[in-house]
Amino acid sequence: MIPCAKFRGCLLAALAGDCLGAQFEFSPRRSSFRTVWLAFDANMRERRRWPLVYTDDTALTRAVCESLVDCRGRVEPASLARSLTDAYFKATDRGYGAAAGGVFEDLRDANFADPFGPAAALFEGRGSYGNGGAMRAAPLGLIGAAAAAAPNAEEVQLATRVTHSNALALAGARLMAAAVRLALRFDGVDVDRLYDSLAAEAAAADTACGLHEGEASSYTSSMRQVKEFLGKHPASSAVDEEARAVAGALGTEVTALRSVPTAIYCALRTLRPSHRVHPLISEWQPPGNQNPSIDEAVSTEQRQQQQRLVDCLTFAVSLGGDTDTIASMAGAIVGAALGADALPASLMLACEASDAVDSLATRLHRVAYSS
Ligand code: R7I
Ligand code: MG
Ligand code: MG
Ligand code: MG
């Protein structure tokens, strides 16, 4: 059985990536690793509840969880459409993609009669290739890792099609869900094996969605670039050059193809046992360590896990562009591998609704193992 702490780590780190990244989303210029880190450090030192609000990424991830819990771990498109739409109308100002609002309005106006219709009509019938399906796919990876009768890749595609029907969006969401599912079983050592499994998932997703290897628009070719970057091991002093190169090659756009492989790189980079967290962060003590009323005293090992996660989120945001989404997806993968101990209490205090996300993760875990 996958421990509940891994479900919680996944969803809480996804929340943290969204909240931390939102302050930088589509800034006109990329920020240095140091600049991003100083902002995060300040966020965690505020020591008040929820200075950081979450965006559409978390609103819809929560909605996916709610629907999965209501449907005993299954993807039911009508339930999911309703849950996503409810989340949207609860707060339409959470930074939704330009096409998303219209889909939710159409779904509501037709009383969810055709959960796939509005999304299929977008962009002259080609459907959106935005990353909005992938950004909410983590719960599908969690539930998919657990029960034998859990959502498979086809069901991930069904869940995605409620808002995104383009092949690039479907394949990206499949790959993201697979990354979370595989990260839950990561042994802490063999990142090459995790990469190989992900590359196989990318190839399967390309084939299933009709994307062709060798063309620029395939996850297979992006994953090959991920492998090249993983082989490089640049020094911490070159972190901003690394970020520039990764952002240019893999992308930081709002499209699934140019954000999901980027998030996977951020996660695998951090999970390599040889990875050294940036000196700014290895010298950092979670602020609550000086203030036990916030952070319980943590062990050396737990502090290292926390530094690793924060290093990952800082690097992801330093890539620029779609920072909330890339950091949220990278966080989901790393959080699934490391578990909830990797979340500093001071970071959880700073992120909106962390308590609600935490209990939702626990409910999802219960559902995953009760069928
Ligand atoms: O994919 P989506 O939900 O957006 C998610 C992003 C994340 O960064 C969130 O944090 C939030 O900021 O938004 O929203 P969509 O509107 O479906 O897709 C995003 C954008 O991608 C669209 O608004 C378009 O600009 C672009 N796009 C396309 N452009 C041309 N042709 C998506 N599909 C197409 C297309 O087929
Ligand atoms: Mg967002
Ligand atoms: Mg936005
Ligand atoms: Mg975004």
Side-chain angles (χ1 to χ4, degrees):
M1 175 156 120
I2 307 275
C4 183
K6 294 212 168 200
F7 276 47
R8 295 172 53 230
C10 172
L11 295 181
L12 290 171
L15 168 72
D18 181 18
C19 286
L20 291 167
Q23 15 181 14
F24 290 90
E25 192 187 20
F26 295 113
S27 297
R29 291 164 50 101
R30 245 170 352 94
S31 303
S32 68
F33 189 97
R34 182 185 179 80
T35 299
V36 173
W37 161 248
L38 290 175
F40 288 7
D41 189 39
N43 295 148
M44 289 188 279
R45 282 181 200 285
E46 278 206 46
R47 295 181 187 176
R48 75 186 162 85
R49 194 166 176 257
W50 302 359
L52 300 172
V53 295
Y54 67 69
T55 77
D56 57 334
D57 303 56
T58 299
L60 297 186
T61 298
R62 288 182 71 174
V64 172
C65 289
E66 299 278 5
S67 179
L68 286 171
V69 168
D70 287 349
C71 301
R72 299 162 169 267
R74 310 300 310 191
V75 173
E76 302 274 358
S79 156
L80 181 60
R82 198 180 284 274
S83 183
L84 297 171
T85 303
D86 286 350
Y88 172 72
F89 283 108
K90 209 182 275 175
T92 58
D93 59 354
R94 288 198 187 265
Y96 283 86
V103 171
F104 295 127
E105 279 168 17
D106 291 351
L107 285 168
R108 183 190 60 179
D109 292 350
N111 199 24
F112 311 100
D114 177 6
F116 306 121
L122 286 180
F123 298 103
E124 295 169 339
R126 294 186 310 274
S128 171
Y129 50 57
N131 56 19
M135 78 185 182
R136 62 166 197 254
L140 301 165
L142 294 178
I143 201 100
N152 55 27
E154 283 72 40
E155 284 183 275
V156 175
Q157 288 186 212
L158 278 188
T160 306
R161 274 177 55 206
V162 173
T163 52
H164 292 69
S165 66
N166 190 284
L168 288 164
L170 297 172
R174 269 180 71 133
L175 181 55
M176 178 56 203
V180 165
R181 174 168 49 74
L182 292 165
L184 289 169
R185 300 189 188 278
F186 176 56
D187 63 4
V189 179
D190 199 346
V191 172
D192 289 341
R193 188 161 153 224
L194 178 56
Y195 171 84
D196 288 343
S197 303
L198 277 168
E201 292 286 348
D206 280 344
T207 303
C209 298
L211 305 170
H212 298 291
E213 185 187 349
E215 290 174 20
S217 298
S218 82
Y219 288 89
T220 307
S221 55
S222 296
M223 287 303 289
R224 210 169 285 132
Q225 287 180 296
V226 167
K227 190 182 176 95
E228 275 173 38
F229 279 110
L230 284 172
K232 287 185 177 167
H233 300 272
S236 297
S237 57
V239 72
D240 291 320
E241 284 162 50
E242 181 189 358
R244 190 178 328 114
V246 169
L250 293 171
T252 59
E253 283 98 290
V254 75
T255 65
L257 183 64
R258 303 255 314 151
S259 59
V260 173
T262 315
I264 288 173
Y265 173 71
C266 293
L268 295 185
R269 170 189 188 274
T270 308
L271 291 174
R272 284 179 304 195
S274 62
H275 180 68
R276 295 283 162 264
V277 303
H278 193 281
L280 283 170
I281 293 175
S282 57
E283 287 157 18
W284 165 73
Q285 298 269 337
N289 285 1
Q290 299 129 40
N291 178 359
S293 68
I294 297 175
D295 275 329
E296 316 227 327
V298 300
S299 66
T300 305
E301 192 196 347
Q302 189 178 347
R303 187 163 66 245
Q304 285 169 354
Q305 304 276 53
Q306 295 181 351
Q307 290 174 338
R308 211 170 255 267
L309 175 67
V310 173
D311 183 76
C312 172
L313 299 180
T314 307
F315 180 76
V317 173
S318 79
L319 298 176
D322 196 358
T323 48
D324 62 341
T325 304
I326 293 170
S328 183
M329 294 191 295
I333 300 166
V334 171
L338 301 182
D341 276 357
L343 277 304
S346 48
L347 179 54
M348 294 292 84
L349 180 69
C351 293
E352 180 184 0
S354 51
D355 48 358
V357 171
D358 199 355
S359 58
L360 197 46
T362 302
R363 282 164 60 206
L364 189 65
H365 186 265
R366 200 174 301 135
V367 165
Y369 285 102
S370 68
S371 43

